[in-house]
Structure formats: C-alpha cells, structure tokens
Amino acid sequence: MRLEELPFVDVLGKEFQTDPYGAYSQALAEEEIGRCPFGAVVLGHQPIRELLRDGRLTTPGELAAAMFGITEGPFYSWWRGMLVSQSGPAHARLRRMVAAAFTAREADQSRPMMREILQEILDDTSDQGECDFATDIADLFTMRVLCRLIGVPVEDVPRFMRWVQDLGKGFSMNVDEDIADLDSAVVGLSNYVEELIASRQRSDDLLQSLVDITDGGDRLTHEELVSLVVLLLVAGYDTTSNQLSWGMLTFLEKPELWRRLVDDPSSAPLMVEELLRYRVSAAVSGRMANEDVVYEGINYPAGTYFMVSFAAAGRDPRAFPDPETFDADRDGETHVSFGFGAHRCLGMHIARTELEEAFTMLPRRLLNPRQSGIPEFGTPLGVHVVKSLPISFNSETL
C-alpha cells in the first residue's frame, strides 16, 4: 500500500469539526494510519507508541510557525526556542535538568494548595446555583494553581490569564490570524516573568526549584528559564482547564458516574485516567520526518508531516475493547494522552493531580449538576477547547 491509498480524514471539514471521534472511528476501521490535508495522520495506539520513539521523527519546531507564514517576531522567537520545539541533545539536556522539579512526589505536595484554591472558587460560586463551568471554575482553578506554583500574587492572576489565553491561540489552526495577540502575549508574559525572577525573595516554590537547578555545573540560562516558565503557564493552563471541562461534560452526560464520585470520592483517580483516554483535551500533536521512514511497509518521504492524534488513539479498538464505553475499571493498555517517548508531557503529574483533586471535591459541592445552556467548542485540532459550559446545580454541601 502507498501513502495516497490510506484512508483520508478531512480534519478541516465540517463533519470532523462536529464529530471528530466519528471520523476517527471510520478511519480506524480500515487502518491505524491515514492521510489528512497536511500529510499523514497517526490514529492507532500502537503506531503512536512506536513512532513517537522513532528518532527520525522530530517536533516541527519553527517549521510549525512557518506553515502559517510566521518567520519572525516575538512569538516566532519564543516558539522556536521553547522546550517542545527542541529535539535531540538540546532537548535531552533541558529535560534532564528540569525533570526533578516535575515528579509525582512534587505534584503530591501541592494537593493541599489545590484544595484551598478550589474551595475558595466554589465558596464564591456554589451559592449561585449556576455558572459557566469552563470560565468560572475550570479556567480560574487551573490558572490560580499555576500562578501559586511560580509565586505570582493573586492580584496579578487576571493579567496572567489574558496573556496565557492569548498565547494559547498559538496551539490552534489560526496562528496567522492571531499573530498580533500572540506577539503581545509573549512580550507581556516574558517581561513579567523576568521581573518576577529579578525581584523575588527566596521561597519554596516551583520557580525557585527551576532557578536553583544545576547539572554537573550546567545551569539554565536566563532565556531558557523565562521560556520554560512561559511554556509551563500556557501548556499547563490550556490543556488542564479544558480537560476539566471535558470531564464535567462527560459526567453531565453520564450522571451515574457523578453519583459514583459522590458515593466514593476515592474513585476519582480511576475516573481521571479513563477520562484522559475517552475525551482528551490535548487532542493532536505534530511531528516531521527528518529522513525517509518506512513503517508497516509504507514509505513516508523525508519532510512528511505526521499529525499524531491522541484523541483517536484513545478510541482504538485494537487497544481498548468497546472504546466508546466509559469504563473507569478498565484493565489492559494505558492511554497515551500525555504523549509518549522523549516529549511526553513534562507537567503530566501536576495535571493529573489537579484533575484528581477537582473531581474529588466538585461532586460534594455541585449536587445534581445539569446543562443549562448549549456548550461552545473550539476546533478539535491542537488543544480541543471548551469555550463555554453553562451548568446549574443544587448548592448544598455534602
């Protein structure tokens, strides 16, 4: 079989925008890799695991921006230099240096802080009996946690949220249309982070851990530190906030799951793992072949773009029997929704911890939740955004 004979997934078409999982399911019924308008689209769980460990595939880096005609300016400079855009020894060095600050143990130590922040938000929200879950709870919770982690004063959180939300547009398919906002956000965030580093007293937080990092005498440069903190804020906010909203939407559709969380809060970690498989916010990533790649008998020439779909992989029936069913007690394969290989999500333990804490507390504060309006969504490419999720609920506390 040749590349052009693989099933075509029209990721820019209207049907895909409204039902991406349906489109993925049709393609997966034929092959584990398909075609899309950009090149190849990796759909299957096993091909993702194998190809993301293949050194011949690298992150697109600055080429991703160039695809939209962006070849200069603040956003371009930040994008080409950030951790996610690095490959090979440069990427390995940065990952090795910062890995100790992003362990599961470090994330666990932040649980009391996360509970405190969510408690404050719910105290301000739950008496109303209704809210927009996406903007009033998920966005605020995730941004306040990240700001607390790096020592940003609570009064500066609204400014940070505007910058981070604007910079999050860089992970969408409208980069060329949003470049003015992207440039402004990079400048604003970078300048603030530089001032924060320069003016801070020593403290016990994530930013201090990054400042103090040494590895055999090697240290993060000032530019690397600023770039990493900006990436942490953008990637950590966008993916986790939207994952919370996708989780809430899933539980609204399946109220028996919410009742289980009410009756058994200890089931939250199982629910979170299944949610990450079933409806992942970080839906798509990209790779480029830096030389010819032959996989399963098909030749992908050097320069081929691979759209890697973590959303499709979670619904792959070869890895997950009955993949359309949400089963928190599922055995077998684990999802690849945090990526795989060298570029596996650096902040996955922080994200997982936030989700677990949220879906432990929320069911005891938002009783009998239901949709009170029509949700609004972004494109299923990049980070699949929940723009709005209106809900109503009973405000008693268990």
Side-chain angles (χ1 to χ4, degrees):
M1 182 180 292
R2 296 174 298 173
L3 175 59
E4 54 268 28
E5 296 174 316
L6 293 172
F8 183 70
V9 183
D10 186 7
V11 299
L12 301 180
K14 289 184 178 179
E15 291 185 8
F16 180 85
Q17 299 299 312
T18 57
D19 184 20
Y21 288 106
Y24 287 143
S25 179
Q26 290 181 25
L28 275 165
E30 299 181 50
E31 299 288 344
E32 294 179 279
I33 299 181
R35 293 178 296 123
C36 69
F38 317 118
V41 53
V42 189
L43 307 164
H45 178 270
Q46 189 60 29
I48 284 180
R49 289 170 60 95
E50 293 174 352
L51 289 171
L52 290 186
R53 288 183 297 186
D54 192 322
R56 295 171 297 177
L57 269 61
T58 60
T59 56
E62 61 208 71
L63 293 177
M67 288 172 61
F68 296 95
I70 311 302
T71 57
E72 60 181 0
F75 171 75
Y76 176 78
S77 297
W78 172 74
W79 184 272
R80 70 184 300 221
M82 70 171 175
L83 176 65
V84 175
S85 295
Q86 305 304 306
S87 297
H91 176 261
R93 168 185 168 267
L94 287 172
R95 286 285 299 217
R96 184 180 64 251
M97 292 184 69
V98 304
F102 293 93
T103 63
R105 180 176 178 274
E106 293 295 325
D108 277 340
Q109 292 179 347
S110 298
R111 288 182 186 271
M113 173 267 286
M114 295 174 183
R115 293 176 200 139
E116 176 189 338
I117 289 174
L118 187 54
Q119 186 77 48
E120 292 171 356
I121 293 171
L122 291 174
D123 285 346
D124 291 338
T125 305
S126 60
D127 287 345
Q128 301 170 20
E130 62 180 5
C131 69
D132 187 322
F133 183 87
T135 58
D136 296 335
I137 295 179
D139 284 357
L140 281 180
F141 173 58
T142 309
M143 180 52 62
R144 287 187 187 178
V145 166
L146 289 171
C147 285
R148 185 80 68 86
L149 282 172
I150 66 168
V152 175
V154 66
E155 61 267 21
D156 287 345
V157 170
R159 257 203 307 173
F160 252 75
M161 185 170 286
R162 287 194 298 273
W163 285 327
V164 170
Q165 287 176 335
D166 280 347
L167 194 47
K169 298 172 184 177
F171 295 88
S172 73
M173 298 301 295
N174 302 305
V175 176
D176 51 339
E177 299 174 13
D178 297 321
I179 190 59
D181 288 342
L182 291 167
D183 282 342
S184 178
V186 167
V187 172
L189 270 174
S190 298
N191 288 343
Y192 187 98
V193 171
E194 287 183 349
E195 292 173 6
L196 189 66
I197 294 169
S199 62
R200 74 196 325 266
Q201 301 295 319
R202 283 197 64 86
S203 59
D204 183 20
D205 59 24
L206 177 59
L207 181 55
Q208 190 66 54
S209 297
L210 296 174
V211 169
D212 292 342
I213 283 172
T214 59
D215 180 36
D218 191 10
R219 302 182 69 93
L220 293 175
T221 67
H222 179 73
E223 291 75 16
E224 288 170 341
L225 177 59
V226 172
S227 176
L228 183 63
V229 173
V230 172
L231 175 63
L232 169 67
L233 287 163
V234 177
Y237 160 77
D238 214 15
T239 53
T240 308
S241 172
N242 285 291
Q243 193 65 62
L244 276 170
S245 291
W246 283 115
M248 191 67 204
L249 180 61
T250 300
F251 296 137
L252 292 171
E253 295 170 346
K254 304 175 188 297
E256 71 278 5
L257 299 176
W258 196 253
R259 288 194 294 270
R260 178 174 172 180
L261 285 167
V262 171
D263 296 337
D264 180 16
S266 68
S267 67
L270 292 174
M271 294 284 192
V272 166
E273 292 310 306
E274 178 67 348
L275 173 63
L276 287 163
R277 177 201 70 83
Y278 182 79
R279 236 174 192 165
V280 61
S281 64
V284 170
S285 185
R287 295 292 187 274
M288 295 285 289
N290 56 22
E291 58 181 275
D292 289 355
V293 174
V294 177
Y295 182 79
E296 295 293 319
I298 299 177
N299 180 57
Y300 300 90
T304 299
Y305 182 84
F306 288 80
M307 191 183 100
V308 181
S309 177
F310 304 120
R315 301 291 184 96
D316 183 356
R318 300 165 183 83
F320 305 103
D322 194 14
E324 306 303 320
T325 297
F326 189 106
D327 181 4
D329 302 304
R330 185 181 294 275
D331 291 325
E333 291 282 2
T334 56
H335 62 78
V336 290
S337 297
F338 285 120
F340 202 77
H343 281 271
R344 195 176 187 194
C345 176
L346 185 65
M348 64 181 178
H349 298 303
I350 297 173
R352 181 179 275 121
T353 303
E354 288 180 85
L355 294 166
E356 290 175 358
E357 290 299 326
F359 288 123
T360 298
M361 184 181 293
L362 287 169
R364 308 191 70 79
R365 295 294 303 272
L366 308 181
L367 304 187
N368 187 29
R370 55 264 182 204
Q371 286 189 49
S372 59
I374 300 174
E376 296 180 31
F377 310 110
T379 175
L381 299 177
V383 177
H384 198 177
V385 173
V386 181
K387 296 180 179 179
S388 177
L389 180 56
I391 67 170
S392 57
F393 47 86
N394 300 345
S395 56
E396 299 95 336
T397 300
L398 293 179

